[in-house]
């Protein structure tokens, strides 16, 4: 393979830059031309593409965001736009593509592959929700940002005997909330994967904390709790109880517990800032792995993490896999965070 393209797609994640750098530097070392495709699949359709040199990726390893920029491009799901993307690849001599993104981006890679453009994809999303991978780059950094912010909220809650009801990102998955909840010692961790009981999981836990002399509380709520999707086990409860958003949730906490409560939405700050060492290292390893696959004529693969190993899987098989929520870890958190 003489020319490889690289793109970042979907929600950005810390470590995407490190991955692009690894792709570029590996290609340069292997005498492969590397083309940077800007703004994900949108740039592939529009031909927003430039050759990248080793120099172009200097100083991006430790930066958040993605210097290639990212986009959501719903029209890429149409046959017409995929054909345009295939045409662009031919025009620029792109023989294979490394896709860095979430599960939606993986589906785009699968479609391109089925249209004759060999793709290799690697997981970049803070959500850690890709079914075929135990880890997604950006997750560690995002969790660390959450715990830093929750620690700050804890300070002010402590001063005012309050409860912070904090909305955490993660799309339809509660992984970020669970991990942040363990690391920040949240009183309650509410995720879409586990049906919750307001009395048992919030009111009783706060009451028990009070008995132990606790004066402030942290309740973490995944944003996915408010999304109308089949995997959200709590959507019906929220609708039936008039809880449309985190402000309603916080009001209910205050009413039921008598503890003054304030809502906070951590939001997109979770996706910014310098990637952690873990995200930089895994992104670098995966970026290098992707190019090695394409270089050796292997494509239609996803490069993922299984336990501590980086491996590759068939892209079609990988998308059919399942990733059960870590209920054991969830229970452990509830036992310890009293
Ligand atoms: P993420 O990759 O972070 O999950 P999205 O779900 O927004 O983010 O997907 C990113 C992009 O991947 C979409 O904007 C679209 O271009 C492409 N994509 C998403 N879903 C599909 C699909 N089912 N088929 C083909 N392409 C898709
Ligand atoms: O997939 C990453 C993510 O940050 C999710 O956690 C969140 O639901 C979504 O993207 C937000 O998307 P947007 O950047 O379009 O607001």
């Amino acid at each position: 393979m003489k020319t490889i393209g690289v793109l970042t797609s979907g929600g950005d994640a810390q470590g995407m830059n490190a991955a692009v750098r690894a792709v570029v530097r590996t290609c340069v070392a292997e005498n492969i031309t590397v083309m940077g495709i800007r703004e994900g699949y949108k740039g592939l359709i529009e031909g927003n593409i430039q050759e990248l040199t080793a120099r172009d990726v200097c100083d991006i390893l430790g930066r958040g965001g993605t210097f290639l920029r990212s986009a959501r491009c719903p029209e890429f799901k149409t046959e017409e736009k995929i054909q345009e993307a295939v045409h662009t690849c031919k025009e620029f001599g792109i023989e294979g593509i490394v896709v860095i993104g979430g599960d939606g981006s993986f589906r785009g890679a699968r479609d391109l592959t089925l249209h004759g453009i060999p793709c290799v994809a690697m997981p970049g999303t803070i959500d850690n929700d890709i079914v075929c991978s135990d880890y997604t780059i950006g997750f560690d950094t995002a969790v660390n940002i959450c715990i830093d912010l929750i620690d700050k909220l804890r300070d002010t809650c402590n001063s005012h005997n309050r409860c912070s009801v904090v909305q955490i990102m993660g799309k339809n998955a509660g992984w970020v909330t669970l991990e942040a909840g363990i690391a920040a010692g949240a009183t309650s961790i509410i995720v879409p994967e586990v049906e919750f009981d307001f009395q048992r999981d919030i009111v009783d836990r706060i009451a028990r904390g009070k008995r132990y002399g606790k004066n402030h509380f942290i309740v973490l709520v995944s944003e996915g709790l408010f999304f109308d999707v089949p995997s959200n086990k709590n959507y019906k409860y929220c609708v039936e109880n008039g809880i449309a958003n985190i402000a309603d949730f916080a009001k209910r906490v205050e009413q039921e517990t008598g503890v003054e409560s304030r809502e906070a939405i951590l939001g997109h700050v979770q996706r910014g800032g310098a990637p952690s060492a873990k995200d930089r290292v895994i992104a670098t390893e995966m970026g290098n792995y992707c190019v090695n696959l394409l270089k050796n004529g292997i494509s239609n693969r996803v490069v993922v993490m299984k336990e501590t190993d980086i491996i590759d899987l068939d892209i079609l098989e990988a998308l059919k896999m399942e990733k059960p929520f870590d209920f054991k870890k969830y229970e452990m958190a509830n036992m310890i965070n009293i």
Side-chain angles (χ1 to χ4, degrees):
M1 201 167 274
K2 295 262 180 295
T3 305
I4 286 176
V6 57
L7 63 81
T8 50
S9 165
D12 64 352
Q14 305 94 336
M16 279 184 164
N17 275 329
V20 173
R21 174 179 172 274
V23 168
V24 172
R25 294 280 169 87
T26 308
C27 282
V28 169
E30 299 289 349
N31 286 319
I32 297 168
T33 301
V34 57
M35 308 297 275
I37 302 157
R38 302 216 172 253
E39 298 186 20
Y41 294 119
K42 182 168 173 276
L44 193 61
I45 293 166
E46 294 169 356
N48 189 358
I49 296 170
Q50 275 166 343
E51 187 176 340
L52 296 174
T53 65
R55 183 87 221 136
D56 291 325
V57 291
C58 282
D59 298 331
I60 65 165
L61 178 62
R63 275 200 251 146
T66 158
F67 94 111
L68 283 178
R69 306 221 175 123
S70 192
R72 294 217 163 82
C73 176
E75 57 279 19
F76 190 67
K77 294 179 197 167
T78 64
E79 179 64 26
E80 185 197 348
K81 294 297 169 187
I82 295 176
Q83 290 296 354
E84 285 180 31
V86 171
H87 180 263
T88 309
C89 290
K90 303 229 159 94
E91 193 186 330
F92 284 84
I94 294 171
E95 295 161 283
I97 298 180
V98 176
V99 170
I100 305 160
D103 54 356
S105 306
F106 277 26
R107 289 192 177 84
R110 172 204 59 197
D111 290 352
L112 266 179
T113 290
L114 294 173
H115 284 76
I117 304 296
C119 288
V120 172
M122 59 169 278
T125 165
I126 63 160
D127 302 334
N128 201 26
D129 61 346
I130 296 186
V131 289
C132 53
S133 189
D134 291 347
Y135 187 76
T136 63
I137 63 160
F139 177 68
D140 183 62
T141 310
V143 170
N144 276 294
I145 289 170
C146 288
I147 62 177
D148 179 45
L149 295 170
I150 295 163
D151 286 348
K152 290 183 168 89
L153 288 169
R154 183 185 289 285
D155 289 343
T156 169
C157 279
N158 195 352
S159 308
H160 292 273
N161 304 319
R162 280 178 179 158
C163 174
S164 254
V165 180
V166 189
Q167 180 171 311
I168 307 278
M169 262 190 181
K171 215 185 322 191
N172 300 319
W175 295 103
V176 184
T177 310
L178 173 61
E179 206 86 348
I182 293 169
T187 310
S188 302
I189 301 171
I190 311 296
V191 295
E193 292 91 339
V194 185
E195 194 174 335
F196 85 107
D197 179 296
F198 207 94
Q199 182 67 33
R200 180 195 63 209
D201 298 320
I202 297 175
V203 181
D204 292 352
R205 292 181 71 82
I206 288 180
R208 189 168 50 186
K210 274 187 187 169
R211 284 199 300 277
Y212 285 145
K214 228 169 138 59
N215 74 322
H216 66 281
F217 305 91
I218 304 286
V219 173
L220 298 189
V221 180
S222 295
E223 63 173 358
L225 214 74
F226 308 116
F227 298 162
D228 183 10
V229 290
S231 59
N232 177 7
K233 295 211 164 92
N234 296 304
Y235 186 71
K236 193 163 161 257
Y237 174 88
C238 289
V239 171
E240 283 172 356
N241 289 277
I243 302 174
N245 53 41
I246 198 73
D248 295 339
F249 203 107
K251 246 182 243 146
R252 177 92 193 272
V253 171
E254 183 166 305
Q255 279 162 7
E256 299 292 322
T257 65
V259 178
E260 193 181 11
S261 300
R262 294 281 189 272
E263 74 274 10
I265 299 177
L266 301 193
H268 291 81
V269 289
Q270 278 172 245
R271 292 217 315 241
S276 66
K278 177 171 175 168
D279 282 325
R280 294 182 201 200
V281 172
I282 296 174
T284 302
E285 288 181 285
M286 286 186 170
N288 172 262
Y289 195 123
C290 287
V291 175
N292 285 336
L293 286 178
L294 288 174
K295 183 192 81 176
N296 291 318
I298 303 164
S299 62
N300 314 338
R301 308 291 287 176
V302 285
V303 171
V304 298
M305 195 125 194
K306 281 287 156 204
E307 296 183 354
T308 53
D309 294 332
I310 294 172
I311 60 159
D312 58 288
L313 302 170
D314 178 85
I315 201 164
L316 298 175
E317 293 305 315
L319 282 167
K320 289 187 221 148
M321 290 178 165
E322 284 183 13
K323 179 170 169 173
F325 190 66
D326 196 339
F327 297 102
K328 218 170 138 198
K329 209 169 185 182
Y330 183 81
E331 277 168 23
M332 182 218 53
N334 278 333
M335 184 185 73
I336 290 177
N337 294 358
I338 51 167

